[in-house]
Amino acid sequence: MIETTEFADIPTTTLADLLGRDRVMDIGIRPLWGAGLGPVPVPRVAGPAFTVRCPPGDNLMLHAAIHRAPAGSVIVVESGDLDHALAGGNVCAVAQRRGVAGFVLDGLIRDLAEVREARFPVFARGVIPIPGAKNAVAPLGGSVRCGGVRVEAGDVVVADEEGVVAVPAARRADVLAAARAKLAKEAAETLDDWEAAHRARIDEILAQGGFEG
């Protein structure tokens, strides 16, 4: 069985090239600290999805999930609520202490300074100071939609400062092998080689389109 931590050295750009647009979350799901905001970038997060669904205005099931998600997992939340925070500093601290790799939330958090100081990776839509309620009980581990991408429990979620990609669990071995082969090929190619191949390809496309110049 392939350990999903093996994806930790695979950039999301490489995975996006292999998987295409429908496995890449929209640009609203972004790192809430580290991306261009200081000397310490947000670390790449890679792990199996532990999926949670929270209705707008309620964060109960995310708060339940931090006590149930296995170490190494990425908690992925469907919410879409832009009026209430799904989590704050203590929730993130407990998740971090229990070994959760990070949060990918289609929603908001609060206590960003605490989260940043703890270096806990959170990818979400933003920050708001008001918390949600805790009333809506729902199952954990179901299919969710986060950032426009359907994510199943156990899919491999990889997130870094470039974006968030969900690798279907059934394809993880093939995708990992293809990603490693792609990275090895790129590492063996000099910039001169790349430039020559790139110009030839672009010039061919231009010629086919009737461009002169």
Coordinates of all heavy atoms in Angstrom, one line a residue, residues 40-144:
V40 N 8.8 32.3 6.1 CA 8.5 30.9 6.3 C 7.3 30.6 5.5 O 6.1 31.0 5.8 CB 8.2 30.6 7.8 CG1 7.9 29.1 8.0 CG2 9.4 31.0 8.7
P41 N 7.4 29.9 4.4 CA 6.3 29.5 3.6 C 5.4 28.4 4.2 O 5.9 27.7 5.1 CB 6.9 29.0 2.3 CG 8.2 28.4 2.7 CD 8.7 29.3 3.8
V42 N 4.2 28.4 3.9 CA 3.3 27.3 4.4 C 3.9 26.0 3.8 O 4.3 25.9 2.7 CB 1.9 27.5 3.9 CG1 1.7 27.4 2.4 CG2 1.0 26.5 4.6
P43 N 4.1 24.9 4.7 CA 4.6 23.7 4.2 C 3.6 23.0 3.3 O 2.4 23.2 3.4 CB 4.8 22.9 5.5 CG 3.8 23.4 6.4 CD 3.7 24.9 6.1
R44 N 4.1 22.1 2.4 CA 3.2 21.3 1.6 C 2.5 20.3 2.5 O 3.2 19.7 3.3 CB 4.0 20.6 0.4 CG 3.1 19.8 -0.5 CD 3.8 19.2 -1.7 NE 4.3 20.3 -2.5 CZ 5.5 20.6 -2.9 NH1 6.5 19.7 -2.4 NH2 5.8 21.6 -3.6
V45 N 1.2 20.1 2.3 CA 0.4 19.2 3.0 C 0.1 18.0 2.1 O -0.3 18.3 0.9 CB -0.8 19.8 3.6 CG1 -1.8 18.8 4.2 CG2 -0.5 20.9 4.6
A46 N 0.2 16.8 2.5 CA -0.2 15.7 1.7 C -0.7 14.6 2.6 O 0.0 14.2 3.6 CB 1.0 15.2 0.8
G47 N -1.9 14.1 2.4 CA -2.4 13.0 3.2 C -3.8 12.6 2.7 O -4.4 13.3 1.9
P48 N -4.3 11.5 3.3 CA -5.6 11.1 2.9 C -6.7 12.0 3.5 O -6.6 12.5 4.6 CB -5.7 9.7 3.6 CG -4.8 9.8 4.7 CD -3.7 10.7 4.3
A49 N -7.7 12.2 2.7 CA -8.8 13.1 3.1 C -9.7 12.5 4.2 O -10.1 11.4 4.0 CB -9.7 13.5 1.9
F50 N -9.9 13.3 5.2 CA -10.9 12.9 6.2 C -12.0 13.9 6.0 O -11.9 15.1 6.3 CB -10.4 13.0 7.7 CG -11.3 12.5 8.7 CD1 -11.3 11.2 9.1 CD2 -12.2 13.4 9.3 CE1 -12.2 10.7 10.0 CE2 -13.1 12.9 10.3 CZ -13.1 11.6 10.7
T51 N -13.2 13.5 5.5 CA -14.2 14.4 4.9 C -15.2 14.8 5.9 O -15.7 13.9 6.7 CB -14.8 13.9 3.7 OG1 -15.3 12.5 3.9 CG2 -13.8 13.8 2.5
V52 N -15.6 16.1 5.9 CA -16.6 16.6 6.8 C -17.6 17.5 6.1 O -17.1 18.3 5.2 CB -15.9 17.4 7.9 CG1 -16.9 18.0 8.9 CG2 -14.8 16.6 8.6
R53 N -18.9 17.5 6.4 CA -19.8 18.4 5.9 C -20.4 19.2 7.0 O -21.0 18.7 8.0 CB -20.9 17.7 5.1 CG -21.9 18.6 4.4 CD -23.0 17.9 3.6 NE -22.4 17.3 2.4 CZ -22.3 16.0 2.2 NH1 -22.7 15.1 3.1 NH2 -21.8 15.5 1.1
C54 N -20.3 20.6 6.8 CA -20.9 21.5 7.8 C -21.9 22.4 7.1 O -21.5 23.1 6.1 CB -19.8 22.3 8.5 SG -18.7 21.5 9.6
P55 N -23.2 22.5 7.5 CA -24.1 23.4 6.9 C -23.7 24.9 7.2 O -23.0 25.1 8.2 CB -25.4 23.1 7.4 CG -25.1 22.5 8.8 CD -23.8 21.8 8.6
P56 N -24.1 25.8 6.4 CA -23.8 27.2 6.7 C -24.2 27.6 8.1 O -25.3 27.3 8.6 CB -24.6 28.0 5.7 CG -24.7 27.1 4.5 CD -24.8 25.7 5.2
G57 N -23.3 28.3 8.8 CA -23.6 28.8 10.2 C -23.3 27.8 11.3 O -23.5 28.1 12.5
D58 N -22.8 26.6 11.0 CA -22.6 25.5 12.0 C -21.3 24.9 11.7 O -20.9 24.5 10.6 CB -23.8 24.5 11.9 CG -23.9 23.7 13.2 OD1 -23.0 22.8 13.4 OD2 -24.8 23.9 13.9
N59 N -20.5 24.6 12.8 CA -19.2 24.0 12.7 C -19.1 22.7 13.6 O -18.0 22.2 13.8 CB -18.1 25.0 13.1 CG -18.2 25.5 14.5 OD1 -18.7 24.9 15.4 ND2 -17.7 26.8 14.7
L60 N -20.2 22.2 14.0 CA -20.1 21.1 15.0 C -19.3 19.9 14.5 O -18.4 19.4 15.2 CB -21.5 20.6 15.3 CG -21.6 19.3 16.2 CD1 -21.0 19.6 17.6 CD2 -23.1 18.8 16.3
M61 N -19.5 19.5 13.2 CA -18.9 18.3 12.8 C -17.4 18.4 12.5 O -16.6 17.5 12.7 CB -19.6 17.7 11.5 CG -21.0 17.3 11.8 SD -21.3 16.4 13.3 CE -20.3 14.9 13.1
L62 N -16.9 19.6 12.2 CA -15.5 19.8 12.2 C -14.9 19.7 13.6 O -13.8 19.1 13.8 CB -15.1 21.2 11.6 CG -13.6 21.6 11.7 CD1 -12.7 20.5 11.0 CD2 -13.4 23.0 11.0
H63 N -15.6 20.3 14.6 CA -15.1 20.1 15.9 C -15.1 18.7 16.4 O -14.3 18.3 17.2 CB -16.0 21.0 16.9 CG -15.7 22.5 16.7 ND1 -15.3 23.3 17.7 CD2 -15.7 23.3 15.6 CE1 -15.1 24.5 17.3 NE2 -15.4 24.5 16.0
A64 N -16.1 17.9 15.9 CA -16.1 16.5 16.2 C -14.9 15.8 15.5 O -14.3 14.8 16.0 CB -17.4 15.9 15.8
A65 N -14.6 16.2 14.3 CA -13.7 15.5 13.4 C -12.2 15.6 14.0 O -11.5 14.6 13.8 CB -13.7 16.1 12.0
I66 N -11.9 16.6 14.7 CA -10.5 16.7 15.1 C -10.2 15.7 16.2 O -9.0 15.3 16.4 CB -10.2 18.1 15.7 CG1 -11.0 18.4 17.0 CG2 -10.4 19.2 14.7 CD1 -10.6 19.7 17.7
H67 N -11.2 15.1 16.8 CA -11.0 14.0 17.8 C -11.1 12.6 17.1 O -10.8 11.6 17.8 CB -12.0 14.1 18.9 CG -12.0 15.4 19.6 ND1 -11.0 15.8 20.5 CD2 -12.9 16.5 19.6 CE1 -11.2 17.0 20.9 NE2 -12.3 17.5 20.5
R68 N -11.4 12.6 15.9 CA -11.6 11.3 15.2 C -10.7 11.1 14.0 O -10.6 9.9 13.5 CB -13.1 11.2 14.8 CG -14.0 11.1 16.0 CD -15.5 11.4 15.7 NE -16.3 11.2 16.8 CZ -16.5 12.0 17.9 NH1 -15.8 13.2 17.9 NH2 -17.3 11.7 18.9
A69 N -10.2 12.1 13.4 CA -9.4 12.0 12.2 C -8.0 11.3 12.6 O -7.4 11.7 13.5 CB -9.1 13.4 11.6
P70 N -7.6 10.3 11.8 CA -6.4 9.7 12.1 C -5.2 10.6 11.9 O -5.3 11.5 11.1 CB -6.3 8.5 11.0 CG -7.7 8.3 10.6 CD -8.4 9.7 10.7
A71 N -4.1 10.4 12.6 CA -2.9 11.1 12.4 C -2.5 11.0 10.9 O -2.5 10.0 10.3 CB -1.8 10.6 13.3
G72 N -2.0 12.2 10.4 CA -1.5 12.2 9.0 C -2.6 12.6 8.0 O -2.3 12.8 6.8
S73 N -3.9 12.6 8.4 CA -4.9 12.9 7.5 C -5.1 14.4 7.3 O -4.6 15.2 8.1 CB -6.3 12.3 8.0 OG -6.6 12.8 9.3
V74 N -5.7 14.8 6.2 CA -6.1 16.2 5.9 C -7.6 16.3 6.1 O -8.3 15.6 5.4 CB -5.6 16.6 4.5 CG1 -6.1 18.0 4.2 CG2 -4.1 16.4 4.3
I75 N -8.0 17.1 7.0 CA -9.4 17.3 7.2 C -10.0 18.2 6.1 O -9.5 19.4 6.0 CB -9.8 17.8 8.6 CG1 -9.4 16.8 9.6 CG2 -11.2 18.2 8.7 CD1 -9.7 17.2 11.1
V76 N -10.9 17.8 5.3 CA -11.5 18.5 4.2 C -12.9 18.8 4.5 O -13.7 17.8 4.7 CB -11.4 17.7 2.9 CG1 -12.0 18.5 1.7 CG2 -9.9 17.4 2.6
V77 N -13.3 20.1 4.5 CA -14.7 20.4 4.9 C -15.5 21.1 3.8 O -15.0 22.1 3.2 CB -14.6 21.4 6.1 CG1 -16.0 21.8 6.5 CG2 -13.9 20.7 7.3
E78 N -16.7 20.6 3.5 CA -17.6 21.3 2.7 C -18.5 22.2 3.6 O -19.0 21.8 4.6 CB -18.5 20.3 2.0 CG -19.6 20.9 1.2 CD -20.6 19.9 0.5 OE1 -20.1 18.8 0.1 OE2 -21.8 20.2 0.4
S79 N -18.5 23.5 3.2 CA -19.4 24.4 4.0 C -19.9 25.6 3.0 O -21.1 25.7 2.8 CB -18.6 25.0 5.1 OG -19.3 26.1 5.7
G80 N -19.0 26.4 2.5 CA -19.4 27.5 1.7 C -19.8 28.7 2.5 O -20.2 29.7 1.9
D81 N -19.8 28.7 3.8 CA -20.3 29.8 4.6 C -19.2 30.9 4.7 O -18.1 30.6 5.1 CB -20.6 29.2 6.0 CG -21.2 30.3 6.9 OD1 -21.5 31.4 6.4 OD2 -21.3 30.0 8.1
L82 N -19.6 32.1 4.3 CA -18.7 33.2 4.4 C -19.1 34.2 5.5 O -18.7 35.4 5.5 CB -18.6 33.9 3.1 CG -18.1 33.1 1.9 CD1 -18.1 33.9 0.6 CD2 -16.7 32.5 2.2
D83 N -19.9 33.7 6.5 CA -20.4 34.6 7.5 C -19.9 34.1 8.9 O -20.1 34.9 9.9 CB -21.9 34.7 7.5 CG -22.4 35.4 6.3 OD1 -21.9 36.5 6.0 OD2 -23.4 34.9 5.7
H84 N -19.4 32.9 9.0 CA -19.1 32.3 10.3 C -17.8 31.5 10.2 O -17.6 30.9 9.2 CB -20.2 31.4 10.9 CG -21.5 32.1 11.0 ND1 -22.4 32.1 9.9 CD2 -22.1 32.7 12.0 CE1 -23.5 32.8 10.3 NE2 -23.3 33.2 11.6
A85 N -17.0 31.5 11.3 CA -15.8 30.7 11.3 C -16.1 29.2 11.6 O -16.9 28.9 12.5 CB -14.8 31.2 12.3
L86 N -15.4 28.4 10.8 CA -15.5 26.9 11.1 C -14.6 26.5 12.3 O -14.9 25.5 13.0 CB -15.1 26.1 9.9 CG -16.1 26.1 8.7 CD1 -15.4 25.7 7.4 CD2 -17.3 25.2 9.0
A87 N -13.6 27.2 12.5 CA -12.6 26.8 13.5 C -11.8 28.0 14.0 O -11.8 29.0 13.3 CB -11.6 25.7 13.0
G88 N -11.2 27.9 15.2 CA -10.3 28.9 15.7 C -9.0 28.3 16.2 O -8.7 27.2 15.9
G89 N -8.3 29.1 17.0 CA -6.9 28.7 17.4 C -6.9 27.4 18.2 O -6.0 26.5 17.9
N90 N -7.8 27.2 19.1 CA -7.8 26.0 19.9 C -8.1 24.7 19.1 O -7.5 23.7 19.3 CB -8.7 26.1 21.1 CG -8.2 27.0 22.2 OD1 -7.0 27.3 22.2 ND2 -9.0 27.4 23.1
V91 N -9.1 24.8 18.2 CA -9.4 23.7 17.4 C -8.2 23.3 16.5 O -7.9 22.1 16.4 CB -10.6 24.0 16.5 CG1 -10.8 23.0 15.4 CG2 -11.9 24.1 17.3
C92 N -7.5 24.3 15.9 CA -6.4 24.0 15.1 C -5.2 23.4 16.0 O -4.5 22.5 15.5 CB -5.9 25.3 14.4 SG -7.0 25.9 13.1
A93 N -5.1 23.9 17.2 CA -4.0 23.4 18.1 C -4.3 22.0 18.5 O -3.3 21.2 18.5 CB -3.9 24.3 19.3
V94 N -5.5 21.6 18.8 CA -5.8 20.2 19.1 C -5.6 19.3 17.9 O -5.0 18.2 18.0 CB -7.2 20.1 19.7 CG1 -7.7 18.7 19.8 CG2 -7.3 20.8 21.0
A95 N -6.1 19.8 16.7 CA -5.8 19.0 15.5 C -4.4 18.7 15.3 O -3.9 17.6 15.0 CB -6.5 19.7 14.3
Q96 N -3.6 19.8 15.4 CA -2.1 19.7 15.2 C -1.5 18.7 16.3 O -0.7 17.9 15.9 CB -1.5 21.1 15.4 CG 0.0 21.1 15.1 CD 0.5 22.5 15.1 OE1 0.2 23.3 16.1 NE2 1.3 22.9 14.2
R97 N -1.9 18.8 17.5 CA -1.4 18.0 18.6 C -1.7 16.5 18.3 O -1.0 15.6 18.7 CB -1.9 18.4 19.9 CG -1.4 17.7 21.1 CD -1.6 18.4 22.4 NE -3.0 18.5 22.7 CZ -3.5 19.1 23.8 NH1 -2.6 19.7 24.7 NH2 -4.8 19.2 24.1
R98 N -2.9 16.3 17.7 CA -3.3 14.9 17.4 C -2.7 14.4 16.1 O -3.0 13.2 15.7 CB -4.8 14.8 17.4 CG -5.5 15.1 18.7 CD -6.9 14.6 18.8 NE -6.9 13.2 18.9 CZ -7.3 12.4 17.8 NH1 -7.6 13.0 16.7 NH2 -7.3 11.1 17.9
G99 N -1.9 15.2 15.4 CA -1.2 14.7 14.2 C -1.9 14.9 12.9 O -1.5 14.4 11.9
V100 N -3.0 15.7 12.9 CA -3.7 16.1 11.7 C -2.7 16.9 10.8 O -2.1 17.8 11.3 CB -5.0 16.8 11.9 CG1 -5.6 17.4 10.6 CG2 -6.0 15.9 12.6
A101 N -2.6 16.6 9.5 CA -1.6 17.2 8.7 C -2.0 18.7 8.4 O -1.1 19.5 8.2 CB -1.4 16.5 7.4
G102 N -3.3 19.0 8.3 CA -3.8 20.3 8.0 C -5.2 20.3 7.7 O -5.9 19.3 7.7
F103 N -5.8 21.5 7.5 CA -7.2 21.7 7.1 C -7.3 22.2 5.7 O -6.5 23.1 5.3 CB -7.8 22.8 8.0 CG -8.1 22.3 9.4 CD1 -8.6 23.3 10.4 CD2 -8.0 21.0 9.9 CE1 -8.9 22.9 11.7 CE2 -8.3 20.6 11.1 CZ -8.8 21.6 12.1
V104 N -8.2 21.7 5.0 CA -8.6 22.3 3.7 C -10.1 22.6 3.8 O -10.9 21.6 3.9 CB -8.3 21.4 2.5 CG1 -8.9 22.0 1.2 CG2 -6.8 21.2 2.4
L105 N -10.5 23.9 3.9 CA -11.9 24.2 4.3 C -12.5 25.1 3.2 O -11.9 26.1 2.8 CB -11.9 25.0 5.6 CG -11.0 24.5 6.8 CD1 -11.1 25.4 7.9 CD2 -11.5 23.1 7.2
D106 N -13.7 24.7 2.8 CA -14.5 25.6 1.9 C -15.3 26.5 2.9 O -16.5 26.4 3.0 CB -15.4 24.9 1.0 CG -15.8 25.7 -0.2 OD1 -15.9 26.9 0.0 OD2 -15.9 25.1 -1.3
G107 N -14.6 27.5 3.5 CA -15.1 28.3 4.5 C -14.1 29.2 5.1 O -13.0 29.4 4.6
L108 N -14.3 29.6 6.4 CA -13.5 30.6 7.0 C -13.0 30.1 8.4 O -13.6 29.1 9.0 CB -14.3 31.9 7.3 CG -15.0 32.5 6.1 CD1 -15.8 33.7 6.5 CD2 -14.0 32.8 4.9
I109 N -11.9 30.7 8.9 CA -11.5 30.4 10.3 C -11.4 31.7 11.0 O -11.6 32.8 10.5 CB -10.2 29.6 10.4 CG1 -9.0 30.5 9.9 CG2 -10.3 28.3 9.6 CD1 -7.7 30.0 10.3
R110 N -11.0 31.7 12.3 CA -10.6 32.8 13.1 C -9.4 32.5 13.9 O -8.8 31.4 13.7 CB -11.8 33.3 14.0 CG -12.1 32.4 15.1 CD -13.3 33.0 15.9 NE -13.5 32.4 17.2 CZ -14.2 32.9 18.1 NH1 -14.8 34.1 18.0 NH2 -14.4 32.2 19.3
D111 N -8.9 33.5 14.6 CA -7.6 33.4 15.4 C -6.4 33.1 14.5 O -5.6 32.2 14.8 CB -7.8 32.3 16.5 CG -8.9 32.5 17.4 OD1 -9.2 33.7 17.7 OD2 -9.5 31.5 17.9
L112 N -6.3 33.8 13.4 CA -5.3 33.5 12.4 C -3.9 33.7 13.0 O -3.0 32.9 12.7 CB -5.5 34.4 11.2 CG -4.4 34.2 10.1 CD1 -4.4 32.8 9.6 CD2 -4.6 35.2 9.0
A113 N -3.7 34.7 13.9 CA -2.4 34.9 14.5 C -1.9 33.6 15.2 O -0.8 33.2 15.2 CB -2.4 36.1 15.4
E114 N -2.8 33.0 16.0 CA -2.5 31.8 16.7 C -2.1 30.6 15.8 O -1.2 29.9 16.0 CB -3.7 31.4 17.6 CG -4.0 32.4 18.7 CD -5.2 31.9 19.5 OE1 -5.5 30.7 19.6 OE2 -5.9 32.8 20.1
V115 N -2.9 30.5 14.7 CA -2.7 29.4 13.8 C -1.3 29.6 13.1 O -0.6 28.7 12.9 CB -3.8 29.4 12.7 CG1 -3.6 28.3 11.7 CG2 -5.2 29.1 13.5
R116 N -1.1 30.9 12.7 CA 0.2 31.2 12.0 C 1.4 30.9 13.0 O 2.4 30.4 12.6 CB 0.2 32.6 11.6 CG 1.5 33.1 10.8 CD 1.3 34.5 10.2 NE 1.0 35.4 11.3 CZ -0.1 36.2 11.2 NH1 -1.0 36.1 10.2 NH2 -0.4 37.1 12.2
E117 N 1.3 31.3 14.2 CA 2.4 31.1 15.2 C 2.6 29.6 15.4 O 3.8 29.2 15.5 CB 2.0 31.8 16.5 CG 3.1 31.7 17.5 CD 2.8 32.4 18.8 OE1 1.7 33.0 18.9 OE2 3.6 32.4 19.7
A118 N 1.6 28.8 15.4 CA 1.7 27.4 15.6 C 2.2 26.7 14.3 O 2.5 25.5 14.3 CB 0.4 26.8 16.0
R119 N 2.2 27.4 13.2 CA 2.6 26.9 11.9 C 1.7 25.7 11.5 O 2.1 24.7 10.9 CB 4.0 26.4 11.8 CG 5.0 27.6 12.1 CD 5.1 28.5 10.8 NE 6.1 29.5 10.9 CZ 5.9 30.8 11.3 NH1 4.7 31.2 11.6 NH2 6.9 31.6 11.3
F120 N 0.4 25.8 11.8 CA -0.5 24.7 11.4 C -1.1 25.1 10.0 O -1.7 26.2 9.8 CB -1.7 24.6 12.4 CG -2.7 23.5 12.1 CD1 -2.3 22.2 12.0 CD2 -4.0 23.8 11.7 CE1 -3.2 21.2 11.7 CE2 -4.9 22.8 11.4 CZ -4.5 21.5 11.4
P121 N -0.9 24.2 9.0 CA -1.4 24.6 7.7 C -2.9 24.6 7.5 O -3.6 23.6 7.8 CB -0.8 23.4 6.8 CG 0.3 22.8 7.6 CD -0.2 23.0 9.1
V122 N -3.4 25.7 7.1 CA -4.8 25.9 6.9 C -5.0 26.5 5.5 O -4.5 27.6 5.2 CB -5.5 26.8 7.9 CG1 -7.0 27.0 7.6 CG2 -5.4 26.1 9.3
F123 N -5.8 25.8 4.7 CA -6.1 26.3 3.3 C -7.6 26.6 3.4 O -8.4 25.6 3.6 CB -5.7 25.3 2.3 CG -4.3 25.1 2.2 CD1 -3.6 24.2 3.1 CD2 -3.5 25.6 1.2 CE1 -2.3 24.0 3.1 CE2 -2.1 25.4 1.1 CZ -1.5 24.6 2.1
A124 N -8.0 27.8 3.1 CA -9.5 28.1 3.3 C -9.7 29.4 2.5 O -8.9 29.9 1.8 CB -9.8 28.3 4.8
R125 N -11.0 29.9 2.7 CA -11.4 31.1 1.9 C -11.0 32.4 2.6 O -11.1 33.5 2.0 CB -12.9 31.1 1.6 CG -13.2 29.9 0.6 CD -14.5 30.2 -0.1 NE -14.8 29.0 -1.0 CZ -14.4 29.0 -2.3 NH1 -13.6 29.9 -2.8 NH2 -14.7 27.9 -3.0
G126 N -10.7 32.4 3.9 CA -10.4 33.6 4.6 C -10.7 33.6 6.1 O -10.8 32.5 6.7
V127 N -10.8 34.7 6.7 CA -10.9 34.9 8.1 C -12.1 35.8 8.5 O -12.3 36.8 7.8 CB -9.6 35.5 8.7 CG1 -9.6 35.6 10.2 CG2 -8.4 34.7 8.2
I128 N -12.7 35.4 9.6 CA -13.8 36.2 10.1 C -13.8 35.9 11.6 O -13.6 34.8 12.1 CB -15.2 35.9 9.5 CG1 -16.2 37.0 9.7 CG2 -15.7 34.5 9.9 CD1 -17.5 36.9 8.8
P129 N -14.1 36.9 12.5 CA -14.0 36.7 13.9 C -15.2 36.0 14.6 O -15.1 35.6 15.7 CB -13.9 38.1 14.5 CG -14.5 39.0 13.5 CD -14.3 38.4 12.1
I130 N -16.3 35.9 13.9 CA -17.5 35.3 14.5 C -17.6 33.8 14.3 O -17.5 33.4 13.2 CB -18.8 36.0 14.1 CG1 -20.0 35.6 14.9 CG2 -19.0 35.8 12.6 CD1 -21.2 36.4 14.7
P131 N -17.8 33.0 15.4 CA -17.9 31.6 15.3 C -19.3 31.1 14.8 O -20.3 31.8 15.0 CB -17.6 31.1 16.7 CG -18.2 32.1 17.6 CD -17.9 33.4 16.8
G132 N -19.3 29.9 14.3 CA -20.6 29.3 14.0 C -21.2 28.6 15.2 O -20.5 28.5 16.3
A133 N -22.4 28.1 15.0 CA -23.1 27.4 16.1 C -22.6 25.9 16.1 O -21.9 25.5 15.2 CB -24.6 27.5 15.9
K134 N -23.2 25.2 17.0 CA -22.8 23.7 17.1 C -24.1 23.0 17.4 O -24.4 22.5 18.5 CB -21.8 23.5 18.2 CG -20.4 24.1 17.9 CD -19.5 24.1 19.1 CE -18.2 24.8 18.8 NZ -18.4 26.2 18.4
N135 N -24.9 22.8 16.3 CA -26.2 22.1 16.4 C -26.3 20.9 15.4 O -27.0 20.0 15.7 CB -27.3 23.1 16.2 CG -27.3 24.2 17.2 OD1 -27.2 23.9 18.4 ND2 -27.3 25.4 16.8
A136 N -25.8 21.0 14.2 CA -26.1 20.1 13.1 C -25.2 18.9 13.1 O -24.1 18.9 12.8 CB -25.9 20.9 11.8
V137 N -25.8 17.8 13.6 CA -25.2 16.5 13.6 C -25.3 15.8 12.2 O -26.4 15.8 11.6 CB -25.8 15.6 14.7 CG1 -25.1 14.2 14.6 CG2 -25.6 16.2 16.1
A138 N -24.2 15.3 11.7 CA -24.2 14.7 10.4 C -23.1 13.6 10.4 O -22.1 13.7 11.2 CB -23.9 15.7 9.3
P139 N -23.2 12.7 9.5 CA -22.1 11.6 9.4 C -20.8 12.2 8.9 O -20.7 13.3 8.2 CB -22.7 10.7 8.3 CG -24.1 11.0 8.2 CD -24.3 12.4 8.5
L140 N -19.7 11.6 9.3 CA -18.4 11.9 8.8 C -18.0 10.9 7.8 O -18.4 9.8 7.7 CB -17.4 11.9 10.0 CG -17.6 13.0 11.1 CD1 -16.7 12.6 12.3 CD2 -17.3 14.4 10.6
G141 N -17.1 11.4 6.9 CA -16.5 10.4 5.9 C -17.3 10.3 4.6 O -17.0 9.4 3.9
G142 N -18.2 11.1 4.4 CA -19.0 11.1 3.1 C -18.3 11.9 2.0 O -17.3 12.5 2.2
S143 N -18.9 11.8 0.9 CA -18.5 12.6 -0.3 C -18.8 14.1 0.0 O -19.9 14.4 0.4 CB -19.2 12.1 -1.5 OG -18.8 12.9 -2.7
V144 N -17.8 14.9 -0.3 CA -18.0 16.4 -0.1 C -17.5 17.1 -1.3 O -16.8 16.6 -2.2 CB -17.2 16.9 1.2 CG1 -17.7 16.2 2.4 CG2 -15.7 16.7 1.0

